[in-house]
């Protein structure tokens, strides 16, 4: 009997150990293979580039860091973004976009909305609350809650930006020597609404200030750039665009089909962004919409965030600078920003601690300090400064 009891206890202990091993280590191992940085020698930064870089207000329109269970208050040796690395890279603001669904086999050319969802497995594997397992809205809200908890735990290090005053306070604090950084909360596709228009208000109340319509698949709003239909906006999609345009929220048209982008630009009365992309004329990738649509976004006062992964074809600092230069030539210096797609299951040549390498290469290309200030953050700060609410 004692032997049977010992075997039972041993099996139970083995189950607990294996379960903890799976939920504790497997998701981290998965991220280490998905959010990688190309091995490289330290980037050489000149004294003049360092001085300019340290004077910049740097803002990035897109990172998916809240998808992963890393503690963003601590410096990690994998992934792309955390608060200490933002401080090291003199990055003031990061828009954290909440990923809530991705299709198995995702690619730039074609994805079925019926494909198995990758994020369900990740939510279970990372021990997210059970309410997130079947609700995309709850997944977005949970990721947002992690940022609010970070702020509550370390208010001198991190601030969630929800209002114009929050933005001003952050910039003033940094100008006075504080190393505090700010985060804005966004969605990676409005499938996070779970098909309910009223969920826009739930997300807004949770601090969401940028919302996109699509990700890698068609949804109830209309066609994705990578979906099966290439359709325009549905009636529900039009209702979402109208509501977002009426609120102090920045509309992000990343991943939307060209038909959706065309229709949305006719409907909106405020500037929009494409948070993370390249320009098609510079990098002929199916990830990038037509340059003519980019020009329409710029003509309406919007900003296009240039990425650091293969949407720009060459992921080196020199390649990123080339992509920025092409975008400035196409759209004008007031309509280009940064949109890294850090922590978005992408391979890059740098992380958020190494942003001075971009400043260095922009200077080497002959960009003036004023233009560098705009594309490294000024244009993004302007758009949010205009669109954020005056108060909650």
């Amino acid at each position: 009997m004692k032997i049977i009891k010992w075997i039972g206890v041993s099996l139970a202990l083995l189950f607990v150990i294996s379960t903890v091993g799976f939920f504790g280590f497997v998701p981290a191992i998965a991220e280490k293979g998905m959010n990688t940085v190309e091995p490289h020698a330290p980037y050489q930064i000149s004294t003049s580039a360092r001085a300019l870089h340290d004077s910049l207000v740097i803002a990035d329109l897109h990172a998916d860091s809240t998808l992963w269970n890393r503690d963003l208050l601590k410096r990690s040796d994998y992934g792309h973004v955390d608060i200490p690395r933002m401080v090291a890279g003199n990055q003031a603001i990061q828009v954290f976009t909440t990923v809530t669904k991705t299709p198995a086999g995702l690619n730039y050319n074609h994805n079925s909305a019926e494909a198995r969802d990758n994020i369900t497995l990740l939510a279970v594997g990372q021990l997210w609350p059970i309410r997130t397992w079947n609700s995309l809205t709850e997944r977005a809200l949970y990721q947002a809650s992690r940022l609010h908890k970070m702020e509550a735990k370390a208010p001198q290090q991190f601030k969630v930006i929800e209002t114009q005053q929050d933005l001003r306070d952050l910039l003033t604090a940094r100008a006075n020597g504080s190393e505090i950084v700010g985060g804005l909360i966004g969605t990676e596709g409005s499938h996070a609404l779970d098909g309910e228009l009223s969920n826009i208000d739930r997300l807004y109340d949770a601090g969401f200030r940028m919302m996109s319509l699509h990700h890698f698949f068609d949804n109830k709003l209309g066609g994705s750039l990578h979906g099966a239909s290439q359709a325009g906006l549905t009636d529900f999609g039009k209702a979402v665009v109208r509501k977002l345009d009426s609120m102090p929220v920045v509309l992000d048209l990343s991943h939307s089909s060209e038909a959706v982008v065309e229709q949305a630009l006719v409907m909106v009365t405020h500037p929009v962004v494409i948070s993370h992309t390249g320009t098609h004329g510079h990098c002929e990738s199916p990830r990038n919409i037509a340059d003519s649509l980019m020009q329409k976004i710029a003509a309406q006062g919007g900003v296009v965030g240039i990425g650091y992964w293969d949407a720009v074809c060459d992921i080196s600092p020199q390649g990123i600078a080339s992509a920025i230069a092409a975008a400035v030539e196409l759209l004008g210096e007031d309509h280009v920003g940064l949109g890294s797609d850090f922590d978005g299951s992408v391979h890059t040549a740098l992380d958020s601690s190494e942003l001075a390498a971009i400043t260095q290469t922009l200077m080497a290309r002959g960009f003036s300090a004023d233009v560098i200030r705009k594309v490294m953050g000024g244009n993004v700060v302007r758009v949010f400064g205009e669109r954020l609410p005056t108060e909650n």
Side-chain angles (χ1 to χ4, degrees), residues 238-276:
K238 292 175 182 177
V240 169
V241 171
R242 283 192 292 269
K243 185 170 179 64
L244 291 177
D245 191 56
S246 73
M247 299 173 68
V249 173
V250 173
L251 175 61
D252 179 9
L253 295 177
S254 298
H255 292 292
S256 289
S257 72
E258 294 191 347
V260 165
V261 175
E262 287 273 16
Q263 290 178 309
L265 289 176
V266 173
M267 296 176 63
V268 298
T269 59
H270 298 283
V272 303
V273 302
I274 292 189
S275 65
H276 57 304

Side-chain angles (χ1 to χ4, degrees), residues 186-209:
T187 66
E188 179 88 271
S190 283
H191 42 282
L193 299 178
D194 276 337
E196 298 293 335
L197 194 66
S198 60
N199 279 332
I200 292 177
D201 295 314
R202 291 184 67 195
L203 295 176
Y204 180 83
D205 291 343
F208 284 76
R209 295 297 182 264

Side-chain angles (χ1 to χ4, degrees), residues 23-34:
F23 291 116
F25 298 107
V26 170
I29 291 171
E31 188 195 357
K32 288 180 180 180
M34 292 178 178

